[in-house]
Amino acid sequence: MTEDDLDLLHRTVELATQALKQGNSPYGSLLIDPYGAAVFEDHNRDADGDLTKHPEFAIAKYAIENYSEEERAMCTVYTSTEHCAMCAGAHAWAGLGKIYCATTVDQVSDWYAQWGTANGPLHPLSAEEISPNITVEGPAPKFEEVLYQLHKWFYLGESAS
């Protein structure tokens, strides 16, 4: 990963932190268009109980509405945590390009197992396992501790320190 990639991942961690501060689960993502511009960013918005309000899903919908099939393939998604199966499916159906993630599904799944917390109703599969057309780059070790802390705070209500 380049320094630019790490800077963009840093923004996703800021979005995940913002999500947590608003009572949502700590996930943040952004879309970089084919021309290098950050055109969409968001975080989970599931505090109301609708657990489908993931930014990666919203990114896929935004990309479909705003870019051609060829342009979508040249878009890049940056995310604090690798896509869940639902969002990986949306990413694949939208035909989006590469995913950069600060943490992987395997890492977060291991944390949940450590804490005795459920992964949710979907198997924790890598986005690359969901679709042969998805390429994932990550994790970025420099963000592991802060994301560990955010997830632990959300799922257990306590700091890991």
Side-chain angles (χ1 to χ4, degrees):
M1 281 189 213
T2 68
E3 283 303 314
D4 287 342
D5 295 325
L6 293 173
D7 288 345
L8 291 166
L9 285 175
H10 183 263
R11 178 64 186 142
T12 70
V13 174
E14 291 174 339
L15 291 164
T17 302
Q18 182 181 347
L20 184 61
K21 287 178 180 176
Q22 294 176 6
N24 300 291
S25 51
Y27 298 86
S29 300
L30 57 97
L31 176 67
I32 305 300
D33 76 6
Y35 314 103
V39 294
F40 187 98
E41 66 176 35
D42 204 1
H43 56 73
N44 271 30
R45 297 185 176 277
D46 53 6
D48 66 359
D50 182 348
L51 302 181
T52 65
K53 291 181 179 174
H54 296 189
E56 304 87 358
F57 196 86
I59 282 171
K61 290 176 73 170
Y62 175 89
I64 288 167
E65 293 168 0
N66 291 281
Y67 296 102
S68 69
E69 185 177 342
E70 294 78 21
E71 290 171 319
R72 291 194 306 269
M74 295 185 294
C75 288
T76 307
V77 176
Y78 288 82
T79 188
S80 61
T81 301
E82 184 180 1
H83 297 20
C84 71
M86 174 185 73
C87 293
H91 186 103
W93 283 113
L96 290 166
K98 191 172 190 174
I99 298 169
Y100 285 86
C101 61
T103 57
T104 65
V105 165
D106 287 341
Q107 286 176 295
V108 175
S109 183
D110 287 347
W111 298 343
Y112 296 168
Q114 248 179 46
W115 306 327
T117 306
N119 271 308
L122 302 174
H123 290 292
L125 300 172
S126 167
E128 292 174 318
E129 292 177 273
I130 302 296
S131 171
N133 300 324
I134 296 177
T135 301
V136 176
E137 174 108 13
K142 75 181 277 181
F143 301 111
E144 182 174 357
E145 183 58 30
V146 68
L147 287 164
Y148 178 87
Q149 295 285 344
L150 292 174
H151 283 268
K152 186 160 189 172
W153 184 263
F154 182 79
Y155 289 101
L156 296 183
E158 61 185 61
S159 174
S161 26

